[in-house]
Amino acid sequence: MSTINDSNRQPSTRLAANPDDNGNPAGSANTASATSPARPESPRATATRLGPRDYITIGVYTVLYFVMISIGALITHLIPVGMPFAGFACGLLGTTPLMLLMAKSQRFGAISIMGILLALLMGAVHGNYYTVATSIIAAVLADLIATRIRTRNNGSTEAPTRSTGVTLASVSVFNLWSIGMFLPFYIGRATYLQQLTARKGAEYAGRLAGLFPAWTLPLVIVLGLLGGLLGGAIGLALLRRHFKRAGLA
C-alpha cells in the first residue's frame, strides 16, 4: 500500500516543480498577483486633461486678472513718467489671480488658455497686435515651466509637486506679455510715432517718445520680470495666510 501511495504522489510533485515559460514555478504568477497589492495610479496619470470646471475657473480668474492689470495700468498712466512702469504694476497687482488659477488647476493648458483670453481682450481694447503675440508666447512658456518642471520627495509615492522657485519663475515669465504694449516704440518706431502724431498730436507723441528711447527696452523687460516676481511673492503669502482658509486655493 505504501508503494502505491508513493507512486500516486509523484506526478503531482513533478507537476508542481515544472517551471512556466518565464522560469517561475507553476502557480507562482497567480500567487504573486493575488498577494501583491495593486499599485495606485498617480493623479497626473488619471487626470491630465482640463475639464469643464477648469474652464470655468480659467474664465473667472482671467476676468479678475484683467481687472487688476487695468487698475495697475491706470495708476501708471496717471503719473507723468509712470508709463514705463506699467508692466511692473500689472505684475504686482495681477499675479495673485494668476496664482489662484495655478493652485486650482495644475494641468497643462490652464495658463495657456488664460494667456489666449488675455490676448483677445488686449487686442480688442488696445488693437496692439504685439501684445496679442507676447501674451500667447509668454503664457505658453509659463505653462511649460509650471507643469513640466516638478520635484519629487525622496521615498514619496505622491505625485511630483511644483516648487516655490518654479512657481515664481512661471509667473515672472507670464508677466512678460506686458512688453508687447511698448514694442511699437522699438519696432517700427518712426511709423508708429507718425500714426500717434496723427491721432494724438505732436506734443503727446513727442512726450511718449521721450519716455521710451531705444535703449530702454531691456529696462522694460527687467521691470516686467521684477513685477511678476514681487507679485508672485505677495500671492504666495496671501495663498498661505488667507485663500487656503477660505477654500479659494
Side-chain angles (χ1 to χ4, degrees):
M1 290 297 291
S2 61
T3 305
I4 295 174
N5 291 337
D6 291 340
S7 63
N8 290 334
R9 292 194 190 98
Q10 287 177 359
S12 61
T13 305
R14 285 195 298 268
L15 287 173
N18 287 338
D20 60 10
D21 294 338
N22 296 325
N24 299 320
S28 62
N30 294 333
T31 303
S33 61
T35 57
S36 60
R39 181 178 299 175
E41 296 184 0
S42 64
R44 294 184 67 189
T46 57
T48 58
R49 297 182 180 180
L50 297 173
R53 180 176 297 180
D54 294 305
Y55 293 115
I56 295 174
T57 302
I58 293 168
V60 170
Y61 286 119
T62 299
V63 172
L64 183 57
Y65 182 86
F66 186 75
V67 171
M68 297 305 293
I69 65 173
S70 298
I71 295 174
L74 177 62
I75 293 173
T76 57
H77 280 64
L78 294 177
I79 303 172
V81 294
M83 194 176 294
F85 297 90
F88 177 83
C90 289
L92 198 64
L93 297 181
T95 303
T96 297
L98 171 61
M99 297 192 70
L100 286 170
L101 172 64
M102 293 170 66
K104 283 286 189 179
S105 179
Q106 299 192 14
R107 302 177 182 89
F108 178 79
I111 301 175
S112 297
I113 294 175
M114 185 178 190
I116 293 172
L117 294 176
L118 177 64
L120 295 175
L121 289 171
M122 297 301 292
V125 173
H126 298 285
N128 184 347
Y129 297 106
Y130 289 114
T131 308
V132 174
T134 55
S135 297
I136 296 174
I137 293 172
V140 173
L141 291 176
D143 207 352
L144 289 172
I145 293 172
T147 58
R148 295 297 182 258
I149 304 177
R150 293 175 180 265
T151 57
R152 183 189 294 274
N153 297 327
N154 293 332
S156 174
T157 58
E158 296 181 357
T161 57
R162 185 168 53 226
S163 66
T164 300
V166 170
T167 300
L168 293 177
S170 176
V171 297
S172 299
V173 170
F174 184 89
N175 197 51
L176 286 180
W177 70 265
S178 59
I179 67 174
M181 296 187 293
F182 311 113
L183 283 182
F185 290 104
Y186 308 104
I187 302 175
R189 177 184 178 90
T191 302
Y192 178 70
L193 290 177
Q194 290 177 359
Q195 296 173 351
L196 196 61
T197 300
R199 296 197 311 266
K200 301 290 185 177
E203 182 180 356
Y204 180 81
R207 182 168 61 87
L208 290 187
L211 291 175
F212 296 98
W215 60 267
T216 58
L217 179 58
L219 178 62
V220 171
I221 295 174
V222 171
L223 286 173
L225 289 171
L226 186 60
L229 180 62
L230 293 179
I234 295 172
L236 280 175
L238 292 175
L239 284 173
R240 290 168 180 170
R241 291 185 181 181
H242 304 291
F243 292 123
K244 284 187 177 181
R245 295 178 183 176
L248 296 176

